[in-house]
Amino acid sequence: RDRTQSTGSPIFEKRMSCCSNNGDPESRRKGKAIDLILKRDRKQNERKIKLLLLGTGDAGKSTFAKQIKGLHNSITPAEKQKFISVLKMNTLSMMKVLISGALERDLIDAKLMTVIKNILASDELTSELATDIKFLWEDPGIQKMFSNGNELCRLGCQTQYYMENAERFARVDYSPSEEDIMRAKLKTTGILETHFDVTRFQFTLVDVGGQRTERRKWLHCFDNVTVVIFLAALDAYDLKLEEDDRTNRMTESLKLFNEISSSLYLSLIHI
């Protein structure tokens, strides 16, 4: 796509330049001033690159965006603070998914029901609850359920990391490491932008939600896109969609890529 389209077409600029050679001196002066403005705006736009991240839900788009931001912009203290609660919720919710799956398959020892009820009834990861989660994580029934995790569409790929670090996440003085932040799962809703510079180029990285309900918003992001980066999770070959437990995630990714690559809206865009 011609990145000069937002500042006017080359034909328009040529006509303006020709007009500036006619008429009185004042008209020529104004014409030259307009030419300079158009030329400046065109050069500025040539330095602006818009990258659009597309893919299904849980394809790794937000993780990729966080990695780019970590490389070019430091994570602010406020953002770190936000990820504390995110990681705690990730840990608690993934254990609840494991418990629910294990109960449905009768993999839980009756002696663990007190601990299980305590976890299911909680909505905040405390130090005491983290100890219970670590204890339950080592139970053979939970481990068997985790080994068959592809049967649970809502079980995230970072579950083991969350379980093994539950007690650290629950500490009062806990501060997320860079790896913690990269592994944190926060569902993207709406449109998120990351801005960064490389040499003389100004990049805008646009991250959008990948779930089916979020894709209707993609059309609003297609304007002035330079490159589409499509991501697919290689570990999704045996997993089902979170929003549709009958559809394979890899099959959905291939179908979505085919739709994007044949879209008229992106016919002039590099993918």
Side-chain angles (χ1 to χ4, degrees):
R1 177 176 291 184
D2 180 8
R3 295 185 211 141
T4 67
Q5 58 186 342
S6 61
T7 61
S9 68
I11 295 176
F12 174 77
E13 293 180 27
K14 184 176 181 181
R15 287 177 179 173
M16 290 299 299
S17 181
C18 290
C19 290
S20 67
N21 294 323
N22 299 320
D24 58 83
E26 180 63 17
S27 296
R28 289 197 297 271
R29 186 188 67 78
K30 290 181 178 180
K32 288 181 180 179
I34 292 173
D35 285 344
L36 289 173
I37 293 172
L38 291 173
K39 184 177 181 181
R40 182 198 63 194
D41 289 347
R42 185 174 67 251
K43 286 184 176 181
Q44 288 179 347
N45 279 339
E46 287 175 349
R47 293 197 295 268
K48 294 179 180 179
I49 299 176
K50 183 178 179 180
L51 309 175
L52 178 60
L53 294 179
L54 296 181
T56 63
D58 294 317
K61 299 185 298 301
S62 295
T63 301
F64 181 84
K66 285 187 289 186
Q67 289 173 329
I68 293 297
K69 185 169 185 177
L71 286 172
H72 298 282
N73 303 312
S74 59
I75 304 295
T76 66
E79 289 172 323
K80 275 193 172 185
Q81 188 68 26
K82 178 187 71 173
F83 281 110
I84 293 176
S85 59
V86 171
L87 286 158
K88 287 182 177 181
M89 185 54 65
N90 290 159
T91 304
L92 186 55
S93 60
M94 288 303 101
M95 178 50 80
K96 288 182 178 181
V97 170
L98 284 171
I99 289 173
S100 297
L103 287 173
E104 289 176 3
R105 293 160 179 77
D106 198 24
L107 299 175
I108 296 293
D109 191 317
K111 294 183 293 186
L112 298 173
M113 289 309 298
T114 301
V115 174
I116 285 174
K117 289 179 180 178
N118 185 37
I119 293 174
L120 292 177
S122 302
D123 56 8
E124 183 179 356
L125 184 68
T126 63
S127 297
E128 295 77 12
L129 201 65
T131 301
D132 288 343
I133 287 176
K134 182 179 180 180
F135 171 75
L136 195 59
W137 170 245
E138 297 172 353
D139 176 71
I142 292 295
Q143 283 296 312
K144 185 175 181 180
M145 187 68 263
F146 176 70
S147 298
N148 297 310
N150 62 305
E151 299 175 10
L152 305 174
C153 61
R154 293 188 295 116
L155 192 67
C157 61
Q158 303 295 343
T159 298
Q160 183 173 351
Y161 186 82
Y162 299 151
M163 300 303 112
E164 292 177 349
N165 290 278
E167 292 183 309
R168 182 168 63 88
F169 295 160
R171 292 175 187 165
V172 177
D173 60 347
Y174 167 63
S175 179
S177 66
E178 184 176 334
E179 183 177 7
D180 293 341
I181 292 173
M182 293 303 153
R183 290 177 180 267
K185 176 177 170 55
L186 182 61
K187 182 179 178 180
T188 301
T189 56
I191 302 168
L192 303 177
E193 293 188 355
T194 299
H195 302 275
F196 60 96
D197 296 339
V198 177
T199 59
R200 64 187 184 90
F201 293 99
Q202 302 169 357
F203 286 84
T204 299
L205 182 68
V206 182
D207 179 22
V208 292
Q211 281 76 18
R212 289 173 176 175
T213 55
E214 293 291 320
R215 295 175 197 171
R216 68 189 69 173
K217 303 173 185 176
W218 289 5
L219 190 60
H220 303 292
C221 305
F222 289 169
D223 288 341
N224 301 317
V225 169
T226 310
V227 175
V228 169
I229 302 176
F230 187 89
L231 281 81
L234 294 179
D235 63 351
Y237 67 94
D238 62 347
L239 300 176
K240 298 295 192 296
L241 293 178
E242 184 174 333
E243 64 269 34
D244 177 7
D245 59 8
R246 294 175 298 177
T247 303
N248 178 274
R249 292 188 184 184
M250 187 63 73
T251 301
E252 180 81 354
S253 288
L254 292 170
K255 178 183 176 182
L256 183 60
F257 180 77
N258 183 59
E259 292 174 357
I260 290 171
S261 59
S262 59
S263 171
L264 293 177
Y265 295 106
L266 299 173
S267 58
L268 300 178
I269 304 300
H270 296 292
I271 301 177

